[in-house]
Every structure is written in C-alpha cells, then in structure tokens.
Amino acid sequence: MPSETAATRRSFLTRGALGLAVTAATAAAASTANANALNPLAAPERADPSGDFAGKVVAITGGNSGIGAATAQAFAMAGAKVVITARRDALGKEVEAEIRAKGGEVTWMVTDVRDPAQVEAFVAATVSTYGRLDVLFNNAGIFMTPALIEDIPVENFEDMMRTNTNGVFYGMKYAIPVMKAQGNGVIVNMASVAAHRSYPNTAHYNASKHAVAGLTKAGAQLAKDNIRVVSISPFAVDTPMLRESFDHQGFTYEAAAPGFVTPRIMDPHEMAEGVMFLASDAATAFNGMDLDATGGQLA
C-alpha cells in the first residue's frame, strides 16, 4: 500500500493524476509578458482604503499559504477588512505581517476546519471583531499522494472529506445565519478541476471536490435571502507545495508545458482576482455556479 503524504490541492498535478507539468522557467517568462492577454497582471503592493471592497469584511479559511494567502492580500489591498485562518500558526502570522506591512487590515487566527466548533468560533470571531461578514471564502483543503481506490487508506479518505468537504459545509452552515440576519452576503467555495474530471488514482480528492460543487449548487436557493453561493475551479497554480511536489518527483517540466491549453501554470493572484470578481457587485448574476479558472483545461 503506498504511503500518503498530506499536501495542498495544487499538488494534484502529479505524474499519476494528470501527467502534465510546466517549468518554473516557462511560468516566469509568461508572468513578465503582459502584452499577452493570457498572462497575469502584477499583484498590487499597497492597500487602497477606498478600493472596491472598502468597508467589506472578508473571512478566508486556508489563508496562510498559496491561493488563500494571495486572496487575503488582494482583498486587503482593495480596502477590505480580512480575517484569515488555518492550522499552521507561524505561516499565518507571516501572511498577517506581510499584509499589514502593505497597509492592509487583517486579523489572523488558528482554526481546524475539520472541527465544526472551531469553524463556528471563527465565524463568530469575525463578526465580533468587525460587526458583519460580507464574504466567506471556503478555501482550506488538503491533497494526498495519488493511489487507486483499493489502496487508499480509510483514514486518509475520511480526512480528505472532513477537510475539503465538511470544512466547506461548516463554513456555509455558520456563515449563512449571519448573512441572513444582515440581509446579504457572498460565499465562495474552493472547487477544482477535479470537481469536473474523474482521475482513477485520486478518487478521494475527486469525491471531495465533486461534493463541494454539489454544496455550491444547493446554496443557490439562498438568493431569496440576498445571498449568493458560488465556487471556483483552478487547475495548476504556482504555489510552494506545487513546486515541492514537482521537485520531489524529479519532473522536468519543459516537455510537458505544451500539454496545457494555456501553456503555463497559473499564478495565485489570478485565482484571487477570480474570487474577488465572484464576490463583487459585478457578479450579481453568478449564483450556484462554478467559475472555470483552469486556463481552458475544461473546454
């Protein structure tokens, strides 16, 4: 039975899962070529107190790394008051300090989304600190080394579901009453390309993300309460864990880069921009749906 190693969702891009990879060099070259509309703009470096999310309160789970950290910074730079949470305290404090150094308003706290009481406390602390909750980004998640169904340890399947799916459910469960009481709100859930594709050796991850898509669709009914529930599905996003995963497996990325529809990995800030769009007043018609942020992989 293969050993299982917890990692973030971005380590989904492994030899067994997709068989595709891109080089750090390719990504770096792409990120500097903004003449191409498929390449990302630079992330803002200073907070704008009068930005698009001025006065809004945003809570983010899994906010201490990767997409969560980038999204926390993006909201804070746009004037939001941000509360971030995750399990790893040291990383969370680093993200908090970085955002504050750029003039953003942010609060960090430790939460294990597998525990409903801790998620309830996180939501309550956000409201206690800032008086409301305008946006919840259910981003926390894990990934484990690919294995066939019969080789997945039961405890690892259960941990995957408790983190990726139950954590989203708990966030929705405790945020919805707050948003109903205040008369509005947006919940953005972290899905994945794995919410739309079936990979035989990542059944536990596939199942967890298909469930997130289902929760998102069910949440559409909250429109009558002026609450929107949406999700976003990344493909391959450049994070420390993705690079560590590639290094660990000894990948050479150059040959695989052309396999992507958009031949580079995505930047976390691009995902942050997608989340911010979904949470914005420009996205009022987006409800109960998933935003394809895969660069065309689902086309």
Side-chain angles (χ1 to χ4, degrees):
M1 184 176 297
S3 62
E4 295 277 346
T5 303
T8 67
R9 66 184 60 79
R10 265 67 65 192
S11 61
F12 180 61
L13 210 63
T14 60
R15 188 187 307 275
L18 297 181
L20 295 175
V22 291
T23 64
T26 299
S31 67
T32 62
N34 287 319
N36 184 334
L38 293 179
N39 290 307
L41 297 173
E45 289 298 319
R46 291 299 303 173
D48 179 3
S50 61
D52 291 343
F53 285 88
K56 299 292 186 180
V57 178
V58 179
I60 300 173
T61 67
N64 62 356
S65 182
I67 293 173
T71 305
Q73 177 172 317
F75 272 115
M77 297 306 98
K81 300 174 177 66
V82 180
V83 183
I84 55 175
T85 194
R87 286 185 281 181
R88 293 174 292 177
D89 190 40
L91 283 177
K93 288 176 178 175
E94 288 179 10
V95 173
E96 180 185 47
E98 181 178 355
I99 291 174
R100 288 182 175 175
K102 294 178 178 180
E105 184 165 352
V106 61
T107 299
W108 158 255
M109 63 181 294
V110 175
T111 302
D112 186 341
V113 299
R114 298 172 298 183
D115 181 354
Q118 291 189 44
V119 178
E120 183 178 22
F122 167 61
V123 172
T126 299
V127 177
S128 176
T129 301
Y130 292 116
R132 60 184 296 111
L133 173 56
D134 296 292
V135 179
L136 171 64
F137 181 27
N138 282 314
N139 170 70
I142 61 170
F143 189 81
M144 292 180 177
T145 304
L148 296 176
I149 292 174
E150 63 270 28
D151 294 326
I152 297 172
V154 169
E155 61 271 21
N156 287 344
F157 183 91
E158 291 176 344
D159 192 38
M160 181 76 70
M161 299 302 292
R162 288 175 63 207
T163 306
N164 294 6
T165 303
N166 292 15
V168 169
F169 165 69
Y170 300 147
M172 293 175 66
K173 174 177 174 60
Y174 297 116
I176 287 168
V178 173
M179 292 178 174
K180 282 185 175 181
Q182 68 193 21
N184 57 66
V186 180
I187 297 174
V188 183
N189 296 328
M190 176 55 77
S192 166
V193 66
H196 307 273
R197 293 286 187 263
S198 177
Y199 304 105
N201 56 353
T202 57
H204 42 355
Y205 190 76
N206 301 347
S208 72
K209 292 303 182 179
H210 274 71
V212 169
L215 284 167
T216 300
K217 291 178 181 179
Q221 301 305 314
L222 292 162
K224 65 183 182 297
D225 297 299
N226 204 27
I227 300 168
R228 292 187 296 110
V229 181
V230 289
S231 63
I232 184 169
S233 284
F235 174 52
V237 182
D238 186 19
T239 65
M241 285 303 301
L242 180 65
R243 294 190 294 271
E244 182 179 339
S245 174
F246 288 160
D247 290 343
H248 176 73
Q249 296 172 84
F251 281 143
T252 58
Y253 304 151
E254 288 84 355
F260 292 97
V261 176
T262 301
R264 61 173 176 82
I265 54 177
M266 301 289 113
D267 184 271
H269 180 65
E270 292 178 276
M271 301 302 108
E273 291 291 337
V275 173
M276 292 177 72
F277 167 72
L278 290 172
S280 75
D281 292 339
T284 51
F286 292 77
N287 185 36
M289 54 74 66
D290 181 70
L291 180 65
D292 176 356
T294 67
Q297 292 300 131
L298 293 176

